[in-house]
Every structure is written in structure tokens, then in C-alpha cells.
Amino acid sequence: MGNLTDYVKVGVMLVLFMFVVSISSASLYVENVPDVSLSLGTGTSYAMNVVKNDAYFYNVAVKCEDFSPVLCSANPDTFVLSANSQTVDIELVASDNVLAGMYSGNVVVEAENFTQVDSVVVNVTETFDLEFEEVDTNVYQNTTENISFVFVNEGNYDVTITSLSENVELSANNITFDMNLTSSLPITISAFGNSSAIYYEAYAFNIDSVDSYLGSVDYVTADGHNGSESVTVSIIAQAATNTTTNTTTNTTTNTTNTTTPDPVVSELAFSALSTTFNNGAIKGTVMLTNKYDYDMSNIALNLTGLEEFDVNFAFSTVSLSKGQSKTLQFSGALPNDFDTGTYTGVATAVYSNITATQDVQLVVGGGIDIITIDVDWDEDRERDVRENEKLKDFEPGHTVTVDIEVENLFNRETNIQINDVEVELTINNIDGSRDIEDETRKFDIDPGDTEEESITFEIPWAAEEDDYTVNLVARGYGDNGQTFTDTFKFKIDIEREGNNVRVLSARFSPETGSCFDRVRVTADVINLGERDKDVVVIIANAALGIKKEQRVSLDEDPDRKSNRQRVDFEFNLDPAMNADAYNFEVSVFDERTGSYYDSQVAKLEVKECSSHNYQQTSDNNDYTYTGSGSSVVFIGPSNTASSGTAFSTATGMPKTKITDLSGKTVSIGGISIFLFLTVALLIIILAVLIAFFLI
């Protein structure tokens, strides 16, 4: 049977074995990570379980990565896992500008020495929304006309129309009316508000009844959608010629009175942005047709309502022979400052007492757009931010980096580059009356492209608990001097922990020294908590056996001067210190409980003593050391080395060994060392002899 020591050894080994097994079995895993389907403009959430096995996990963080353009967030995004599991709600949102398709991202769970990445596939389903607009559906009696309709795709995927059919019921008898499609099929219309005009050639003959007739246009798309859209075709009366003959005294005078209808402005419209803008210039055409049986000269032209864009016809008048049509050009330019949107003007043609008008729409797109914002803070926290969203868990002293992605909304075909783009960041009154203001470098964005820049700032230590708005303004300039801007706002919630005292900095002055140099350590400490604090500030280097401390009172109010205190420690360097770099830890503790708050390291470089410089101060026996060296020797008035018994105590430097200096006679109190050693040796010999005889 073994002795007690053997049993103790076995017990210790069993305890260690159980500890290792418990550590190796500690694990964390995630349950319920499904794939998700979303419709345009909607969101959904699912409950994900974070499950632990035995261990207690602090600072578990859950975050979303690479889900853009789908928005993803976790709630809660940080927690302590003490129970067996924690439910985390993962919210996914497909905003109004997300194209249909499959998107994938990662839900990342991080804890101590543990990271799990689960891939989530998000299917943004197709939203079909094809709108129909009537544009020009007027047909003159006994003529052939071009009429048109417009399809607008408001859905989130490109729609292709593969077939079209039409039907118009006329109530008159003995008529001929037909509509022949002149547009080429198939027609593809891009998502999110893009449009395409559909053109027909209409025949209206033998029509006696002038009226509006209801019809329909049917369509079928490539993905199987079909629909019927109502249209109204208006038959307009053709001009009639009336002749009155007056006969007087065998003279016949034929006078023809012609009732002349208005000239017609037809197919008057701006084309899409991609074909009407080029380097900021606006260009378009409109057709004016004289449908009557006489010539018209000097028809006055004007285009009003678009003066902001300086849009007008190239010529102020035009002449048309009977039945003739002419294409009229108009042009303009983007001003230096404008808003995107739809602008309406009026094209006017005037001949004699005849006036014809037609609305003109100018769709102004383009500009710049802040499309994504990513925020990193506290070294390991990151979030994609939505407009007006509030981010939590910010503290004074955190370093925050804002990544901003900016898009040039002009299509590539416009060739409009936005130059000298700069994003400005402002947070107002974050430190009393002080603002944070910063900006990115300037950059250029090609049409249809994006660029990403970053701004990094530090939350002031004196920032109080509150919500602060982060204002972002992107501003750039077109080739013709136009100004393009976009704004984005989000909030950060700054909290001050109840027990939080920080060492802001710790530094030596000077940072290098040697021998008996006197050095100073300066530490800045601040109270970030919610209560007044009495603390102890300690500077220590265990290897050198140095430890000094001071007690400081810190006010909780960041507006008070005593909220932040500066503490100084001074001491002389020991000449026995080796030339090296030394780290001194400056720590702060609660005076009452001894709880540790924070620490910083102050670095000191000690150099080898290499030279001496001594200076007499008050009299022949009082000298001050003013240099550095491996040892200290005090030089007396007799030009000999002295023991320095009268050395000034103000310097606080101790006496040390005597060292020969440059051939000077080395002595102690004016007695040569040789004589001193001889006398000492004789005294030792005499003492030995006396002891021998006494024994």
C-alpha cells in the first residue's frame, strides 16, 4: 500500500485530468439557421439558438457579414452565455431597390477562442409590376397616324414583352380602322421605373362619327405574365373646305373661306436619361406636322416651363408646306445646382390665330448616392447601417471608423463623371459645445460606378451619455460645374459605465537617461463612471524593485476640471542600471475596494554612462554633478579626486566609489591611496599579532 504522498500525487493527477477534459469538452454551436425568401420591400426574422456545452462564455458576439444589398441585423448582438442557450433574432430586410435574385451572407458567432460561421441564402423573389400609360392616341378622320403607348416596369426584375395584340371597337358603320404594331418584339424593360414606348400605325377611313372609342392592348411576357390594358382612341374631325361664290354685275368672284384646324405637335417627349444627357447637355426632338391643304410660313415656336434647364427650340420659327412634317430640335443643360425628379414644360406652335400645345416632360436622374455605410468601433465591433438607424454600445475613448460607399447614378452612356467628390462627417455638441468634423480625401466617380472611402474619429473622453446624430454629406461636381449632393444620417448611443476609470496616457520625461539623471513619469487619469471616485495611481517595475503610488480624487462630472487629473512621479536613476529599455506599468485602483481599473505602459531607455561633467557650486568643498558616467567622482580644489564629504544634498545623490580621472592623483581627503593602503595593511598585521599573543 502506498504512503500518503503517493495518494496525494494520484489525487492531483485526477484533478488535472478532469480539468483538461472539461476544457476540451467546452464548445459552442448554433441551431436553426434556415434559408430565407423575401419579397421586395419586406422583411422577416427567424430565431437562431446559440447553444453551449458545459462552459461559461463571456462576450459572445453575433454579427452579419456580406449580406448587401439585403439588410441584416442581430438582436441581441452581444451577450453572456451562462444558461444552456440564448435565442438571437436575425432580421433580414429587402429594401425597395433590391433586384430579384439569390443573395448569400454569413451569420458569425464569436466567443472566447471560438468562431462559427453559418451561411444564409436569401431569395429575393420576383415582384411583377408592369404599369401602362397612354401617350398619343389621337387619329384624324381618313388619315394614317402614328400612335403610341408606354409600359413602365416598377418591379424588381427585367421584364420582356414577347407578344402584343390590340382591339378597338368602333360603333360607326361602313368604317375601316386598323392598328399595326411598328415596334419590334421582344421588348425588354429594365427594373425599377424604366419604361419603353410601344408604337402603332393606325388607319381611320370612312369614319363619319367623330368620337372616342374604348379598346384594349393585350400583352404576354417571357415569364408567363399576361394582361389587358384599356386604351381610348379618339377620332378627330378632319378639316373641311367651304367655298362661297358671289356674282355681281356679270362679274363672278370666287372667294374661298377655309376653316383651318390647329397644326399638330406630335410625339413630343424627352427620351430616357441615357439618350438625352451627354456630359450634362440635354438634347431632344419633337415632330410638328402641317396636316392641312395649304402652306404655313413662320410658325412661331416656343418652349416654356423648363427655364431652370435653359431648354428651348433651336429655331424660333418654322415653315411647313401642306402635309409636311419637320423634326424640331431642342436643347438645354443641367444647371450648377438642381434636384432630381420630373419637370414639365409646354411646347407651343402658333400660326396666325391658331395655337397648338403639347406637354413636355424632362426626367432628371443621375447625381450621387450614399448607398452603404459600414461602422467599425471598439476594435472588434462592426455593423452595416441603415438610414436613421441607432447603434448602441459606444463609450468615450472608442475609435470609430465609418466606411462610406458612394455611387454615380448617371448611366455609363451619359459619360457624366462626378469629380472631386468629398464626404463630410459632422457630430454636433458631442463634447460640450465642441463638434467632431472630418472629411474623406477627394475622389472621382465614373458614371455607373461606385467608390469607397473611410473616416476615422475618436469619441472624446468628456462625451456625456446621450444619443448623437452622425451627419454625412457627399458632394461632387460635374464637368460643367454642376453640384451633386446626397446626405445620410444615423445615430450612436454613448454610454458611460458605472465603474470605469481609465489611464489615458503614461510617459517619461525625458524618455532617455543614465546614471543619476532625474526622470519624471506623467500619467493622465479620467473618471468615465457615474460616481465620484477616490483612486490610487501606482507606477511599478518589479524587476528593478521600484514602486511608487499617489492617491487622487476624480469627479464624475466631465465638465469639472477634477474629472481628469494629471499625476507626476519623480526619481533618480540608479547608476547600477544596465543600458536597456525598461517598461514601467502605471495602474489605477479603487482606493476603497482595491479593484483594478486600467493601466498603461511608460517606456524609458537607459543609456550607458560615457562622460563626466562636474561643476563647483558654492565653495571649494561643495560640488554638483551635472553629467553622466559609470561612476561619480567629486573633484576638489587641489585638482584631485575627493570623497565629496561636502557634496550638495540638494541633488539627493549618494556617495560612490572613487575612480581615476585622466591621470589625476586619486586621494581620499587629501591623502594618497598608496599611503592609505599601506597604513591599513600595517594595522591589520598588528591586530593579528596582538590576537596571536593573547591566545
Side-chain angles (χ1 to χ4, degrees):
M1 179 175 292
N3 55 29
L4 180 60
T5 302
D6 292 333
Y7 288 122
V8 171
K9 290 180 179 179
V10 172
V12 170
M13 292 178 65
L14 287 174
V15 170
L16 291 175
F17 175 76
M18 294 298 292
F19 177 72
V20 171
V21 170
S22 65
I23 293 178
S24 62
S25 63
S27 64
L28 198 67
Y29 61 93
V30 175
E31 294 179 340
N32 189 23
V33 184
D35 293 336
V36 177
S37 290
L38 295 176
S39 299
L40 183 65
T42 65
T44 188
S45 64
Y46 66 88
M48 179 185 75
N49 292 325
V50 181
V51 183
K52 73 179 183 66
N53 179 8
D54 295 333
Y56 190 100
F57 287 92
Y58 296 90
N59 299 323
V60 180
V62 181
K63 59 183 179 180
C64 301
E65 292 182 346
D66 304 325
F67 277 96
S68 180
V70 175
L71 304 176
C72 177
S73 61
N75 183 31
D77 55 3
T78 59
F79 51 88
V80 174
L81 188 56
S82 57
N84 288 332
S85 65
Q86 170 71 45
T87 299
V88 178
D89 291 328
I90 303 297
E91 182 181 10
L92 297 163
V93 177
S95 57
D96 292 335
N97 60 350
V98 179
L99 289 169
M102 304 294 289
Y103 301 90
S104 64
N106 296 321
V107 175
V108 181
V109 179
E110 295 178 336
E112 297 87 355
N113 301 317
F114 175 86
T115 299
Q116 177 166 328
V117 179
D118 290 288
S119 178
V120 177
V121 176
V122 181
N123 177 24
V124 178
T125 59
E126 293 181 347
T127 298
F128 178 81
D129 187 1
L130 193 62
E131 305 289 340
F132 183 80
E133 298 177 2
E134 296 184 6
V135 177
D136 182 8
T137 57
N138 296 331
V139 182
Y140 279 86
Q141 283 178 302
N142 302 318
T143 60
T144 300
E145 299 286 347
N146 290 321
I147 63 176
S148 60
F149 315 101
V150 171
F151 282 97
V152 181
N153 183 7
E154 298 288 355
N156 67 339
Y157 70 101
D158 297 347
V159 173
T160 299
I161 298 176
T162 57
S163 67
L164 286 164
S165 59
E166 59 288 326
N167 180 34
V168 177
E169 296 290 342
L170 301 184
S171 60
N173 296 321
N174 301 318
I175 62 174
T176 301
F177 181 83
D178 194 12
M179 291 170 55
N180 291 327
L181 181 67
T182 57
S183 297
S184 298
L185 294 176
I187 297 172
T188 299
I189 310 172
S190 300
F192 298 127
N194 286 282
S195 62
S196 181
I198 311 296
Y199 296 97
Y200 284 90
E201 196 171 53
Y203 301 86
F205 291 97
N206 301 324
I207 297 178
D208 298 325
S209 177
V210 177
D211 203 348
S212 295
Y213 299 93
L214 183 63
S216 65
V217 172
D218 302 329
Y219 65 85
V220 178
T221 66
D223 57 339
H225 289 279
N226 60 80
S228 181
E229 301 291 346
S230 297
V231 297
T232 301
V233 178
S234 298
I235 307 299
I236 301 174
Q238 181 63 291
T241 301
N242 300 320
T243 302
T244 302
T245 303
N246 297 320
T247 304
T248 305
T249 61
N250 299 321
T251 301
T252 302
T253 302
N254 294 327
T255 303
T256 303
N257 297 321
T258 304
T259 303
T260 307
D262 294 350
V264 177
V265 179
S266 65
E267 298 180 12
L268 180 59
F270 279 99
S271 52
L273 176 67
S274 61
T275 58
T276 58
F277 291 84
N278 189 16
N279 288 330
I282 303 170
K283 295 181 180 180
T285 60
V286 63
M287 182 177 292
L288 181 64
T289 304
N290 176 10
K291 296 186 180 241
Y292 314 115
D293 61 354
Y294 61 91
D295 297 340
M296 295 181 179
S297 60
N298 297 320
I299 302 171
L301 303 174
N302 197 11
L303 207 162
T304 59
L306 298 174
E307 288 80 8
E308 179 181 356
F309 301 94
D310 197 24
V311 174
N312 216 325
F313 287 112
F315 300 98
S316 59
T317 63
V318 65
S319 296
L320 297 173
S321 58
K322 61 181 180 180
Q324 184 183 9
S325 297
K326 282 188 177 179
T327 299
L328 309 177
Q329 294 183 346
F330 55 83
S331 62
L334 293 178
N336 290 341
D337 190 14
F338 66 89
D339 294 324
T340 60
T342 301
Y343 297 81
T344 301
V346 179
T348 305
V350 179
Y351 178 75
S352 185
N353 63 342
I354 302 168
T355 301
T357 61
Q358 175 72 42
D359 286 345
V360 178
Q361 281 193 337
L362 172 63
V363 180
V364 180
I368 58 178
D369 184 25
I370 300 175
I371 57 175
T372 61
I373 297 293
D374 184 80
V375 180
D376 299 279
W377 76 100
D378 194 21
E379 297 183 352
D380 60 352
R381 299 179 66 84
E382 179 182 1
R383 280 287 300 276
D384 291 333
V385 188
R386 289 173 285 183
E387 181 83 18
N388 297 319
E389 184 179 2
K390 182 170 74 174
L391 302 183
K392 296 183 178 181
D393 301 327
F394 288 82
E395 296 179 14
H398 277 174
T399 298
V400 183
T401 298
V402 182
D403 297 321
I404 310 128
E405 187 176 8
V406 184
E407 182 181 12
N408 181 343
L409 295 176
F410 286 105
N411 294 336
R412 297 183 186 276
E413 292 80 2
T414 66
N415 199 30
I416 299 178
Q417 178 174 279
I418 301 180
N419 307 306
D420 295 331
V421 179
E422 185 178 58
V423 183
E424 298 174 351
L425 179 146
T426 304
I427 306 176
N428 295 321
N429 302 322
I430 192 169
D431 182 1
S433 60
R434 190 173 72 88
D435 301 336
I436 292 179
E437 296 178 343
D438 205 345
E439 66 278 330
T440 65
R441 69 173 185 88
K442 293 183 178 180
F443 53 96
D444 301 334
I445 313 178
D446 293 330
D449 284 348
T450 64
E451 293 289 340
E452 184 174 310
E453 289 293 331
S454 298
I455 296 176
T456 298
F457 64 91
E458 184 175 282
I459 298 177
W461 293 104
E464 297 187 1
E465 282 195 336
D466 206 345
D467 294 340
Y468 296 89
T469 299
V470 181
N471 300 286
L472 295 169
V473 178
R475 182 178 291 106
Y477 305 93
D479 294 333
N480 295 331
Q482 306 95 340
T483 301
F484 306 102
T485 60
D486 189 36
T487 61
F488 192 100
K489 294 182 180 181
F490 66 95
K491 292 184 178 181
I492 58 175
D493 179 21
I494 296 180
E495 300 176 350
R496 299 172 71 92
E497 294 183 6
N499 294 301
N500 191 0
V501 178
R502 299 289 297 274
V503 180
L504 300 184
S505 63
R507 58 196 178 279
F508 271 94
S509 177
E511 295 180 346
T512 60
S514 64
C515 292
F516 292 99
D517 284 351
R518 192 163 186 80
V519 294
R520 172 184 297 162
V521 180
T522 299
D524 289 321
V525 293
I526 188 171
N527 183 5
L528 299 179
E530 300 173 344
R531 295 181 295 276
D532 296 346
K533 290 292 182 183
D534 294 324
V535 299
V536 178
V537 183
I538 298 176
I539 178 176
N541 183 302
L544 298 175
I546 295 176
K547 182 178 180 181
K548 297 177 179 295
E549 63 182 50
Q550 288 191 38
R551 283 160 176 76
V552 179
S553 295
L554 299 173
D555 198 289
E556 59 86 19
D557 187 352
D559 293 331
R560 292 182 177 271
K561 186 177 180 181
S562 57
N563 174 254
R564 177 173 175 171
Q565 297 273 29
R566 175 165 291 180
V567 182
D568 291 325
F569 299 92
E570 291 188 5
F571 57 91
N572 295 317
L573 297 182
D574 190 331
M577 293 176 64
N578 296 325
D580 202 349
Y582 294 88
N583 290 335
F584 288 76
E585 185 173 15
V586 179
S587 307
V588 59
F589 297 84
D590 188 285
E591 183 181 29
R592 183 176 62 86
T593 66
S595 300
Y596 166 82
Y597 286 125
D598 192 26
S599 65
Q600 292 273 6
V601 173
K603 298 181 180 296
L604 174 67
E605 183 179 357
V606 176
K607 293 186 177 181
E608 183 178 358
C609 297
S610 58
S611 62
H612 305 276
N613 184 15
Y614 310 96
Q615 176 182 348
Q616 183 175 343
T617 55
S618 58
D619 54 49
N620 290 340
N621 294 319
D622 191 10
Y623 295 83
T624 301
Y625 174 79
T626 60
S628 60
S630 59
S631 60
V632 177
V633 177
F634 309 121
I635 307 300
S638 61
N639 199 30
T640 61
S642 171
S643 63
T645 55
F647 185 76
S648 173
T649 58
T651 63
M653 287 182 267
K655 300 173 184 178
T656 185
K657 65 180 181 180
I658 307 302
T659 302
D660 190 2
L661 295 178
S662 305
K664 295 180 175 58
T665 303
V666 180
S667 63
I668 300 178
I671 304 174
S672 69
I673 291 180
F674 178 78
L675 179 59
F676 175 82
L677 294 177
T678 302
V679 173
L681 180 60
L682 291 174
I683 292 174
I684 292 172
I685 294 173
L686 180 61
V688 171
L689 291 174
I690 292 172
F692 177 80
F693 284 110
L694 289 176
I695 293 173

